[in-house]
Amino acid sequence: MAENTQTNTIINLLPPDLSKDEGLAKDVANGLSQYPKKLSSKFFYDARGSQLFQQIMELPEYYLTELEHEILERQRKEILFAFGTQSPFQLIDLGAGDALKTKLLIKELVQSETDFTFVPLDISKDQLQELLQELSQTYPDLKVTGLAAEYFQGLKWLNEHSTDRKLVLFLGSNIGNFVPSSAQQFLCQVRESLSPQDRFLLGVDLKKEPEKIRQAYDDAAGVTSAFNLNLLHRINQELQADFDLDKFQHFAEYDPIEGTMRSFIISKEDQEVQVQALNKTFHFDAWEAIHTENSYKYTLKQLKEMALHCGLRIEDVFTDASHGFADVLLKPV
Ligand SMILES: C[S@@+](CC[C@H](N)C(=O)[O-])C[C@H]1O[C@@H](n2cnc3c(N)ncnc32)[C@H](O)[C@@H]1O
């Protein structure tokens, strides 16, 4: 890491709290005024949302974490070998969350006394703070620079502040939360931030039995439902709204043609909700839906085409035993 970059600290590139609220306010004002109504999934992760997501990752139905964990557990040495860890580098984790799976790579790198800096990047500052605290206890000598930032704001900042090689991670099939045109754009933007010697490790949930996919987003214990409805709780808290969560329900469906898992919040009755901070009232018809999340599933062939379109070539593919999930190592061409 270049000398002018601080380690073991969080660098906050997010706008001040006031404008952060404006981000949510804008999303709510626009999203609930259109038809069909929608809210952005990026607002799921307040402190409570992040905790609920951690519970989701432990659910028996949520196979994604288990499969990707298996890949990183069993093939971490091969992944790091394919990247080549000889010179100092930055391990950049886009949307790090609790970095559950990244910690497997960190453990390996620490054990092999590799010179690297871990750069968790997340829009949730609470989540980053927790992660840094935990890492400083487990690995007091680990160099960590937390970036509280949006993905590309963070990557741009890193390019301006360091010339170290980069291994950029985007795990957990987060790419699936973008509609395909935005996923393509995302890959191209990551590509722009990479130098020829950098690599990009992308975690992708692959197309599989539709019912297995659906249950991962509609678990029997209702944790995913609580996670989805927490968006309304967040709006109540941050924008002084009066959503009655009992009058809404979670609904999730999978479209096997498009490979899209979609989540919705459904209004169980005809009702009005006031959002004081916006000075607005929103009407909901009975059974009207708010679209809250997309989770696209891909084939490796689709991924290869998308990557090539952006000047990225698949260098290696690491999959779990069932071939349900892939961590794909991409190289700029
Ligand atoms: C589903 S979690 C994934 C966590 C982890 N990477 C994994 O694979 O388990 C998504 C994380 O991305 C973060 N995130 C969502 N949108 C973001 C954005 N636009 N910029 C930066 N981080 C974002 C969230 O705060 C959350 O911690």
Side-chain angles (χ1 to χ4, degrees), residues 72-82 105 108:
L72 292 168
E73 175 81 61
R74 295 200 185 156
Q75 300 177 75
R76 59 187 190 271
K77 282 195 171 71
E78 288 82 352
I79 292 170
L80 293 170
F81 180 77
L105 296 178
E108 182 65 33

Side-chain angles (χ1 to χ4, degrees), residues 18 54 59 65 68 119 149 153 155-156 172 174 184 196-197 216 219 226 241 272 286 299 317 323:
L18 192 70
Q54 281 181 25
L59 292 168
T65 313
E68 195 173 37
V119 186
Q153 189 191 20
L155 281 176
K156 182 167 176 277
N174 275 1
Q184 177 83 75
Q197 72 277 18
D219 63 281
E272 300 212 315
T299 60
V317 178
H323 295 278

Side-chain angles (χ1 to χ4, degrees), residues 317-330:
V317 178
F318 303 91
T319 61
D320 66 290
S322 70
H323 295 278
F325 200 98
D327 279 312
V328 180
L329 190 67
L330 296 161

Side-chain angles (χ1 to χ4, degrees), residues 45 53 57 95-97 101 121-124 149-151 171-172 174:
Y45 300 94
F53 187 71
M57 289 197 294
K101 289 152 290 172
L121 184 157
D122 207 291
I123 202 171
S124 162
E150 290 253 5
Y151 304 126
L171 304 180
N174 275 1

